Amino acid sequence: MNKAKLMKARKWAEQHFSPESMPNQRCLRNWVIEGTVKGELIGPGQHAYIYDDQVPGSISKAHSIALDLAANS
């Protein structure tokens, strides 16, 4: 079984965004807090870490699909 690993939020963003559209640290931290991406806030400074299997926008897409299914059932 392959388990997702935590990585620094900045490194995660570098893998998923071009340099000119990369979200800043505050935005990444808020995404973790709001559950937009799965991750953890770690340490006294509450640094954001994101699981390496996360894809930007995937949770909101899943939520939208679930709402559509519920509305049509």
Side-chain angles (χ1 to χ4, degrees):
M1 184 168 105
N2 187 12
K3 190 170 180 178
K5 296 179 182 176
L6 285 169
M7 63 189 303
K8 290 181 179 181
R10 174 60 52 203
K11 291 293 182 186
W12 177 85
E14 288 172 359
Q15 291 182 358
H16 295 282
F17 294 88
S18 62
E20 60 275 353
S21 64
M22 192 177 318
N24 62 34
Q25 283 295 116
R26 176 176 276 169
C27 181
L28 293 168
R29 187 175 187 280
N30 286 340
W31 285 358
V32 171
I33 292 168
E34 296 164 358
T36 303
V37 293
K38 291 183 181 177
E40 305 287 337
L41 299 179
I42 299 175
Q46 296 291 285
H47 298 285
Y49 288 79
I50 298 173
Y51 287 100
D52 61 1
D53 66 346
Q54 294 297 288
V55 177
S58 61
I59 291 177
S60 61
K61 288 178 188 173
H63 182 69
S64 176
I65 291 168
L67 289 176
D68 288 343
L69 288 172
N72 294 321
S73 62

